[in-house]
Amino acid sequence: PPAHSHSDWIGPPDKHSNLRPVIFYVPPEESALERRLREARQEAQASNQRFWARHNRAFRQEKEEFIYSRLKAKGLEMRDESGQKATLNAEEMADFYKDFLSKNFKKHLQYNRDWYKRNFRITFLMGQVALVRALRWLRWRKKNVEQ
Amino acid sequence: GLFVWRLRSTGEPQMACRFVHLYHVANNRLITFQYFNFLKRMYVTQCNKDLSQQAKPKSDSIVSPFHELPQLDQEKKVVHKISPVSPVHQSGSETSSRNELREMKSAAETEDSVVPVGAESKEDRQWKEMKLQLDDLPGILARLSKIKLTALVVSTTSAGFAMAPVPFELACFLLASLGTGLASCAANSINQFFEVPFDSNMNRTKNRPLVRGQISPLLAVCFAASCGIPGIALLTLGVNPLTGALGAFNIFLYTCCYTPLKRMSIANTWVGAVVGAIPPMMGWTAATGSLDAGALLLGGILYSWQFPHFNALSWGLREDYSRGGYCMMSVTHPGLCRRVALRHCVALIGLSALAPVLGITTWTFPVISLPINLYISYLGFRFYRDADRSSSRRLFFCSLWHLPMLLLVMFTCKKSVLEKEDEGNLPRGGHETAVEMRLP
């Protein structure tokens, strides 16, 4: 993002977590409230990134392992004659999906709780910041009108 | 798909060089064909998530087909951009013209923000300023509120209103539709607000406004409040308190029960089915002011319909659900998933037969609707037995036309108010019958 910009910039989805990273703009006269908001957003972004990157990597890895073990049980190789990667059909993969979901169930419950808490807190802070800014602008307007 | 082909056939300018013309046409065809395939894939994957969230703040289920197809507009832009390129390129030798065309083509492509092939990739790879663009706002809000889904919800409400055995009042009808639409927008926006990281990880939903940072969460919540509060107020004060209460309850059910429940238990599907069943009941209560058997029957029909619709859809999204942490029957209890879908297809036959018993329609309704109900039950049975992608897709696509057709047939078989009065009530005065207005 350009150096002179006064707003946040959001980028393309991350390869591992599929989340879009945000670069936050730090205004020179950032109030304490605004700093709290920015830090909350940065912290949430980092935490989300960690969770999803790890989770997706685990998914991919376990999926590979599952395919490999199933193919081996069937007596096939990972790649067939034409060099194409061998895959299992949807019904065979269904066992893996079910397993994966139940294994990660507790992890997801914990993450959901965290995410909802963080989301509410950030949105509430945004509301506070917006309110303060609006009041400030109104006061500035009043001062200008009086002059 | 049809849209794409039509665009392609318009505006093929005259080419001086035949070879270049062929090259141009072939390129166009390739792009649109790939785009068409891309659309097809998106279609199937998209419908489900939103539907599966059965979310429909009110009746989600119906929406699927057009739900969230963001690339269509961009495709149009691209095609229009390509045509101006060709006329410029005229004479010269074959090789030089070929090169020119290639250059211009690539220039045109880089000009466009979106290239149809791998549609979002170019746009996606850029960093975007997180500033609210006012001209984009209507589109952003439309996507935030899932406007097409909302439209379908409103149409089921209208169906409920139309089926009520009372004289048609236009003002009441419009107020009820508007109120329901606003409530639906609010519920959908809150749903998206809650689900940002999960939507980012699923193919169907990764282009939502909050995921892409086109709008801030604060604005999403404010928009939801500014739709929901007037919507419910409109229903409560402008229609009747019962409808308002149902609307508020439905918003609560969708945002606070269904959305979190999706990640906790498969019970979310049943809750979502109720969410879908309430709008027609709201239409009925808006017209009559009371929740009688007819309302419950209509709700029951929508409720049963949700299951074949959603279960079939979710069958193809198991990978995304598993990775995203969504508890859906198709992943955890596949046998149950198919059984429930079949069960409810058959239930639709029974419910249709109940309609004349309750005096909502004439006896012709179960007879005329029997073929389509039998057909969807047959597809439900095939899905139950085969449990594969093709049977699930066939069942899903059938459900898409089955519901509108069923509602239409129901309306045409509606028992006229006049008939009911003749049947034994004291005959009302002449002015009463004059007031009754059948919808066309």
Side-chain angles (χ1 to χ4, degrees):
Chain A
H4 61 263
S5 166
H6 283 284
S7 44
D8 303 331
W9 283 70
I10 190 167
D14 177 82
K15 205 160 59 106
H16 299 293
S17 67
N18 295 317
L19 302 173
R20 289 172 180 262
V22 176
I23 293 185
F24 298 96
Y25 167 67
V26 189
E29 350 73 27
E30 191 183 39
S31 71
L33 189 66
E34 287 173 349
R35 201 190 74 238
R36 276 208 336 251
L37 171 63
R38 181 175 53 85
E39 284 172 355
R41 290 172 76 191
Q42 277 168 331
E43 211 264 308
Q45 180 170 279
S47 160
N48 278 343
Q49 171 72 18
R50 272 196 311 268
F51 176 83
W52 285 104
R54 202 172 59 211
H55 180 80
N56 290 341
R57 230 193 322 260
F59 181 80
R60 243 167 274 156
Q61 203 177 335
E62 287 180 33
K63 187 175 170 192
E64 285 292 316
E65 286 170 4
F66 176 80
I67 293 179
Y68 181 68
S69 65
R70 276 295 169 95
L71 285 176
K72 219 159 103 171
K74 289 208 289 192
L76 300 166
E77 285 302 314
M78 275 299 283
R79 286 178 192 274
D80 60 20
E81 302 87 38
S82 59
Q84 290 266 350
K85 212 150 171 231
T87 52
L88 300 171
N89 69 26
E91 299 321 312
E92 293 167 320
M93 291 307 298
D95 291 332
F96 168 68
Y97 296 143
K98 176 172 175 178
D99 212 35
F100 188 80
L101 188 66
S102 43
K103 270 207 299 226
N104 288 278
F105 183 67
K106 276 226 176 64
K107 200 168 76 166
H108 277 294
L109 281 184
Q110 178 67 29
Y111 174 76
N112 291 346
R113 246 196 307 265
D114 281 344
W115 158 249
Y116 271 66
K117 269 200 291 221
R118 264 193 255 266
N119 199 19
F120 278 127
R121 180 154 177 268
I122 289 174
T123 310
F124 185 69
L125 282 171
M126 279 183 172
Q128 281 182 308
V129 167
L131 202 63
V132 163
R133 283 200 192 135
L135 287 173
R136 209 186 303 156
W137 181 79
L138 279 172
R139 241 175 281 143
W140 172 86
R141 251 265 302 259
K142 212 165 81 152
K143 213 164 25 146
N144 272 8
V145 167
E146 281 171 3
Q147 279 174 358
Chain B
L2 288 169
F3 181 64
V4 165
W5 292 114
R6 203 170 53 81
L7 281 177
R8 197 182 51 76
S9 60
T10 57
E12 283 283 353
Q14 290 296 1
M15 295 291 232
C17 176
R18 253 194 299 156
F19 177 85
V20 172
H21 174 67
L22 280 175
Y23 171 89
H24 178 69
V25 166
N27 249 8
N28 240 352
R29 242 183 254 277
L30 181 66
I31 289 174
T32 52
F33 175 67
Q34 283 181 332
Y35 187 68
F36 176 56
N37 274 339
F38 175 81
L39 271 184
K40 255 193 353 201
R41 270 185 287 121
M42 273 179 82
Y43 175 91
V44 179
T45 52
Q46 280 180 341
C47 297
N48 206 12
K49 193 39 182 103
D50 275 352
L51 291 181
S52 58
Q53 291 180 328
Q54 277 225 323
K56 291 195 261 172
K58 301 283 188 150
S59 59
D60 292 358
S61 51
I62 316 189
V63 192
S64 42
F66 347 96
H67 214 206
E68 296 192 357
L69 281 180
Q71 311 307 326
L72 222 43
D73 312 31
Q74 291 159 331
E75 161 67 19
K76 197 155 123 182
K77 267 192 276 176
V78 173
V79 174
H80 286 161
K81 277 232 164 117
I82 288 181
S83 2
V85 171
S86 23
V88 178
H89 161 79
Q90 282 298 329
S91 56
S93 66
E94 253 187 47
T95 45
S96 67
S97 51
R98 217 187 315 148
N99 286 334
E100 262 179 65
L101 183 65
R102 237 182 268 133
E103 274 173 19
M104 290 200 211
K105 261 234 136 118
S106 49
E109 281 183 20
T110 48
E111 252 179 275
D112 299 337
S113 50
V114 176
V115 180
V117 178
E120 321 131 328
S121 55
K122 242 196 167 91
E123 177 149 299
D124 257 8
R125 276 186 254 125
Q126 296 167 351
W127 279 77
K128 296 264 171 64
E129 193 175 7
M130 278 177 94
K131 198 150 77 149
L132 186 64
Q133 314 283 1
L134 281 174
D135 355 318
D136 293 337
L137 194 61
I140 291 173
L141 290 180
R143 264 173 289 145
L144 185 69
S145 60
K146 299 191 210 169
I147 196 86
K148 291 178 185 142
L149 181 52
T150 298
L152 288 170
V153 169
V154 170
S155 65
T156 56
T157 306
S158 325
F161 193 96
M163 288 307 301
V166 290
F168 180 76
E169 288 175 34
L170 185 66
C172 189
F173 174 73
L174 291 175
L175 285 176
S177 302
L178 183 62
T180 306
L182 287 173
S184 169
C185 288
N188 279 327
S189 308
I190 297 289
N191 170 264
Q192 291 199 20
F193 166 72
F194 281 157
E195 303 255 286
V196 178
F198 315 117
D199 283 346
S200 324
N201 272 284
M202 304 207 18
N203 272 315
R204 186 171 63 123
T205 53
K206 61 187 179 185
N207 286 312
R208 288 185 169 171
L210 280 171
V211 172
R212 291 167 98 177
Q214 290 171 318
I215 196 175
S216 78
L218 180 67
L219 208 55
V221 173
C222 290
F223 173 71
S226 61
C227 282
I229 297 175
I232 298 298
L234 196 65
L235 289 175
T236 314
L237 303 170
V239 181
N240 60 55
L242 179 59
T243 313
L246 279 176
F249 176 66
N250 215 17
I251 294 182
F252 164 74
L253 205 59
Y254 182 61
T255 57
C256 303
C257 297
Y258 172 71
T259 302
L261 212 55
K262 273 195 301 182
R263 310 185 58 80
M264 298 200 290
S265 138
I266 59 172
N268 69 76
T269 311
W270 282 266
V271 173
V274 175
V275 171
I278 290 186
M281 291 165 65
M282 282 170 66
W284 184 285
T285 61
T288 64
S290 69
L291 260 181
D292 40 12
L296 294 175
L297 180 72
L298 266 174
I301 288 183
L302 261 293
Y303 176 83
S304 279
W305 178 84
Q306 308 284 333
F307 291 98
H309 179 76
F310 178 64
N311 286 356
L313 189 49
S314 69
W315 199 256
L317 297 180
R318 285 178 285 179
E319 170 160 8
D320 270 356
Y321 284 154
S322 167
R323 189 167 56 86
Y326 284 107
C327 299
M328 301 294 176
M329 269 194 283
S330 58
V331 180
T332 57
H333 299 77
L336 178 70
C337 178
R338 302 189 321 269
R339 266 200 314 274
V340 164
L342 179 61
R343 214 186 290 162
H344 283 272
C345 285
V346 177
L348 282 172
I349 303 179
L351 285 170
S352 306
L354 212 52
V357 173
L358 294 174
I360 307 170
T361 64
T362 60
W363 59 269
T364 53
F365 174 60
V367 172
I368 302 181
S369 65
L370 194 63
I372 54 177
N373 285 337
L374 279 179
Y375 183 61
I376 199 174
S377 302
Y378 166 69
L379 287 181
F381 176 70
R382 288 292 299 274
F383 175 51
Y384 172 73
R385 197 191 56 183
D386 300 339
D388 61 359
R389 193 170 168 76
S390 74
S391 56
S392 72
R393 285 184 60 171
R394 242 178 284 150
L395 178 61
F396 171 70
F397 286 122
C398 172
S399 74
L400 293 180
W401 60 256
H402 171 270
L403 183 70
M405 195 162 288
L406 189 70
L407 291 177
L408 194 66
V409 171
M410 197 183 216
F411 181 66
T412 53
C413 297
K414 176 183 176 185
K415 205 164 209 172
S416 123
V417 178
L418 277 175
E419 259 183 57
K420 270 215 180 128
E421 291 180 345
D422 286 344
E423 267 175 11
N425 293 342
L426 293 168
R428 309 287 200 92
H431 70 280
E432 287 278 318
T433 53
V435 162
E436 194 221 25
M437 221 167 78
R438 289 291 298 275
L439 287 172

